Amino acid sequence: MGTVALGTGIGVWAASDDGGGGGGEAAGSARQPSGGARTASPTPTPTRSYPLSKAPLTIPAVRSHTAARGPGWRPEKGYRVVVSDPALVDEGRLIAGELGLSYAGRKGADEDVRTGDLRLDLGGTGDPESYTMTVRGGSVRISGPGDAGVFYGTRTLKQEVHGSGTAPEGVVRDRPAKPQRGFMLDIARKPFTAGWIEARIRELGDLKYNQLGLHFSDDQGFRIESGTHPEIVSRDHLTKAQVRRIVALAVGRHIQVVPEIDSPGHLGAVLAAHPDLQLRNARGIATRGAIDISKPASAKIVDDLLGEYADLFPGTWWNLGGDEYQALTVADPQASYPQLAAAARQAYGASGTVADLTTGWLNARADTVRAHDRTVRAWNDGFFRRTSVQPAKDLQVGYWTGKEIGARQPAEYLSAGRKVVNYNDEYLYYVLGEPNTFVYPTGRRIYEQWTPRVLRGTSAVSAAYDSQILGGTFAVWCDLANSQTQDQVAAGIRMPLRATVQKLWDPGTPAMSWPDFKGLADKLG
C-alpha cells in the first residue's frame, strides 16, 4: 500500500517488515470493475509513515546511532520496566520512578512480553561501561556487558524523553573514551552540606561521571567524623552516617567516592590538635601545614586515619596528595630542616636527602592504603627529580600544574610509563575567589579547546600516550571559601561539568556548536 496524504499532512502506509512501502493508489479512490457497474473500493485502514529517525540529543552525545523508521517510544501509563538479571534491580527501579513507569521485576526473554516494555539486559563482552539501546516495535531494550553500561543507557533514555518527549527509533551503540570521569570537591576549606553533595551526585550520574573526589582534610579544616582521632575534627563536619548515605547514593549511580587525606603537607587541622608533630625549621619557626616526617608519631597518626576511612570509602581509588610539602620549597632543605636531613641519612645512607625522605613517606602511605586493596594516586608535584628513592611504580599521577618546583612536563611522567589523570589547572580548576592567577573556567573554553591529552597549559601531549591518560577530573577548590555560596558554586560549575564530560566521553571535535550545546543543556535541565 503506498503513502497517502491525510488532512493533517501526515502520510500513512501499510509497512512491510523491512520498513519499505510498495506502489499503490491513494486511499478513497474508486476502481472501475470489469462488468460495468461502478462500485467504491473499501478505504484501507491507515498506518503512519515515518521519516528516518535522527540521533538523540544528549549530554554527553552518543557515539553512534543507526537510524530507522518508526514512531520511537515514549513513556505511557501502564508501560513497564523489566530486567533480565537481579544485578539490574536498582537500575530498573530508578528509571521506572524517573519516567513514571511500573517496575515489573525480573522476566525471561520470552516471558510475558508486552508492547511498551523497557527491558534491561546483561550480556555480551567488551567495555563494561558500554551499552546498546534498541528502540523498535514500540518497546525499548538496553543491554550491556556490565550494569554500569546499562545504567548509562537509562541516562540516555531519560535525557531523550526529557528533551523531546520521545526516544527515536533505531539503535544507539555507545561507550566512553576514558574510564575515569571525575568531579573533585574541596570540603576541607569550605564545608558543603550533605544535601548539596547528594544533589551533585544525582547530577553527575545523569551526565555519566563515575568518580567524586572528596578532599576533606587541609589546613583550614578536617570535615568528617573520626573515631580514632576525634580531637582533629572541625566543628562543621559530616557525620559518618551522612557519608555512608552519600557513598550509597553514589554507588547506586555507579560513582565511586575517592577520598583524599593529603600529607605530608596540608595537615594544618590535624596539627592544630597535635602541635608536637608540627614541622619546624632550624630556627624553631613552624612551617605551615607541614608535619614532621622524621617523627614516628607522624606516620602513626596519618596511618590511623587512612586505615579508619578505608572502611568508610569502599571504592577502588585513593588520593594520597603528596603536594606542596613546604620543606622542599626552600633553597637548601637539608640546612633549613636538619632533623629531616638526619632522618634521611639514617634511612638511606650518607647521600640521603629530604626529597628522598619525602618520597619514602609517600611510598609508606601508599603501602598503608594498598593493604586495603586500593589503587593509589598522588599529585604530580609529589614526585621529585634526582632522588635515590623512587615513587612506587603503581602510583598514578594526578597532573594538575606546571608551576611546581622543577616544572616537569607531563611527558616525563608518561615516558616513565606512569598512568595519569588530567586535572589541568588551566581549564579544570574552579578556585573560589580566583586567587593568584586563577580565573573561573568556562564551559565554552573546555568544550572548544580542551581534550584529555591537554595535561598542562594549552598544549596536547603526543597521541602515543593516549592510553596512559586514564581520564580527567573537574575540581572545585575553596581557597577563598566565602567568595561564593554553595548555590553559586553549583551554578558556576554547571556548564563546565557538562563540557568536561563531553570531552571525556568523546574527545573528538563535537558536532554541535557551543551555543547549540548550551541550548541543549538548558533544555535537558
Side-chain angles (χ1 to χ4, degrees):
M1 195 69 65
T3 301
V4 213
L6 293 177
T8 59
I10 300 175
V12 297
W13 67 351
S16 62
D17 288 342
D18 64 2
E25 295 180 356
S29 66
R31 291 178 186 270
Q32 179 68 39
S34 57
R38 184 182 181 90
T39 60
S41 62
T43 301
T45 301
T47 57
R48 291 181 183 273
S49 170
Y50 302 94
L52 280 173
S53 60
K54 295 182 179 179
L57 298 178
T58 60
I59 297 174
V62 301
R63 305 287 294 275
S64 168
H65 176 257
T66 301
R69 297 182 189 278
W73 179 91
R74 67 173 62 228
E76 295 185 10
K77 185 177 180 181
Y79 281 5
R80 312 178 307 169
V81 177
V82 298
V83 302
S84 67
D85 192 287
L88 298 175
V89 167
D90 290 343
E91 289 75 14
R93 291 188 183 280
L94 179 62
I95 190 65
E98 290 169 331
L99 297 185
L101 308 174
S102 63
Y103 176 70
R106 186 180 179 188
K107 303 287 183 183
D110 299 317
E111 180 185 356
D112 188 26
V113 176
R114 300 183 191 177
T115 299
D117 279 353
L118 165 57
R119 182 175 184 83
L120 308 182
D121 286 333
L122 283 179
T125 59
D127 185 342
E129 292 190 308
S130 67
Y131 68 92
T132 299
M133 181 168 67
T134 303
V135 180
R136 181 184 297 142
S139 298
V140 183
R141 177 176 181 252
I142 299 172
S143 63
D147 54 351
V150 175
F151 172 73
Y152 296 139
T154 68
R155 301 307 87 193
T156 294
L157 182 64
K158 178 183 176 182
Q159 287 194 26
E160 289 174 338
V161 170
H162 284 189
S164 64
T166 302
E169 201 86 3
V171 181
V172 168
R173 293 178 178 86
D174 203 13
R175 61 178 178 79
K178 293 299 180 183
Q180 295 193 31
R181 304 175 301 280
F183 168 60
M184 201 227 72
L185 180 64
D186 171 13
I187 65 172
R189 295 179 178 91
K190 180 182 181 68
F192 288 79
T193 65
W196 190 94
I197 296 170
E198 290 168 359
R200 298 290 73 69
I201 289 170
R202 295 185 182 94
E203 180 181 16
L204 295 171
D206 283 352
L207 293 170
K208 304 185 176 83
Y209 278 89
N210 62 6
Q211 289 184 11
L212 168 64
L214 284 185
H215 176 91
F216 62 91
S217 168
D218 212 305
D219 297 340
Q220 295 83 353
F222 192 99
R223 301 290 179 185
I224 296 179
E225 174 188 354
S226 172
T228 60
H229 290 282
E231 73 281 0
I232 69 174
V233 179
S234 302
R235 181 185 59 81
D236 197 344
H237 66 272
L238 298 174
T239 67
K240 286 189 176 180
Q242 288 175 314
V243 173
R244 289 188 188 99
R245 287 194 293 270
I246 287 168
V247 169
L249 180 66
V251 168
R253 283 158 172 77
H254 295 274
I255 295 169
Q256 291 198 23
V257 181
V258 182
E260 181 191 357
I261 300 175
D262 202 347
S263 78
H266 295 281
L267 281 171
V270 172
L271 294 169
H274 293 271
D276 54 310
L277 301 180
Q278 176 81 53
L279 178 65
R280 296 180 179 275
N281 67 15
R283 293 181 293 162
I285 298 173
T287 302
R288 176 177 169 80
I291 201 165
D292 190 335
I293 60 176
S294 70
K295 296 182 176 181
S298 295
K300 182 180 185 307
I301 192 171
V302 173
D303 284 348
D304 286 347
L305 296 170
L306 294 175
E308 176 181 358
Y309 292 104
D311 291 335
L312 191 61
F313 297 101
T316 301
W317 295 283
W318 195 289
N319 191 341
L320 289 172
D323 63 312
E324 298 180 328
Y325 189 47
Q326 296 302 306
L328 292 169
T329 63
V330 298
D332 188 346
Q334 283 65 233
S336 295
Y337 298 95
Q339 77 276 35
L340 299 185
R345 290 191 298 271
Q346 182 178 359
Y348 304 114
S351 61
T353 65
V354 175
D356 288 325
L357 191 69
T358 308
T359 303
W361 168 278
L362 184 65
N363 286 342
R365 307 293 75 74
D367 288 341
T368 299
V369 174
R370 203 181 290 109
H372 295 278
D373 296 321
R374 301 300 192 271
T375 299
V376 190
R377 75 177 63 140
W379 300 114
N380 62 288
D381 51 335
F383 296 75
F384 308 110
R385 274 196 182 110
R386 293 182 291 276
T387 54
S388 61
V389 180
Q390 295 299 307
K393 293 290 186 183
D394 64 341
L395 271 174
Q396 296 178 359
V397 179
Y399 197 99
W400 72 279
T401 186
K403 305 178 181 73
E404 82 280 10
I405 300 298
R408 284 189 286 168
Q409 294 290 335
E412 278 200 40
Y413 304 91
L414 294 163
S415 63
R418 292 203 181 270
K419 295 179 179 179
V420 176
V421 179
N422 190 328
Y423 292 79
N424 187 340
D425 63 350
E426 180 78 18
Y427 292 94
L428 306 180
Y429 261 34
Y430 192 96
V431 185
L432 296 199
E434 301 180 304
N436 302 320
T437 60
F438 288 108
V439 295
Y440 292 129
T442 66
R444 182 168 197 157
R445 189 159 180 256
I446 296 166
Y447 188 78
E448 294 179 344
Q449 299 179 20
W450 180 80
T451 74
R453 288 198 291 118
V454 180
L455 285 161
R456 169 178 169 162
T458 59
S459 299
V461 299
S462 167
Y465 295 126
D466 188 67
S467 64
Q468 291 174 238
I469 301 170
L470 301 177
T473 294
F474 186 88
V476 170
W477 293 100
C478 302
D479 291 42
L480 300 176
N482 296 323
S483 300
Q484 290 189 343
T485 66
Q486 62 179 18
D487 290 339
Q488 288 173 321
V489 172
I493 66 177
R494 182 175 176 275
M495 288 310 300
L497 279 176
R498 284 152 178 78
T500 300
V501 81
Q502 173 59 46
K503 303 304 279 290
L504 290 168
W505 196 264
D506 183 352
T509 301
M512 190 176 288
S513 70
W514 171 255
D516 288 345
F517 183 83
K518 186 176 185 302
L520 175 62
D522 292 341
K523 185 177 182 180
L524 295 177

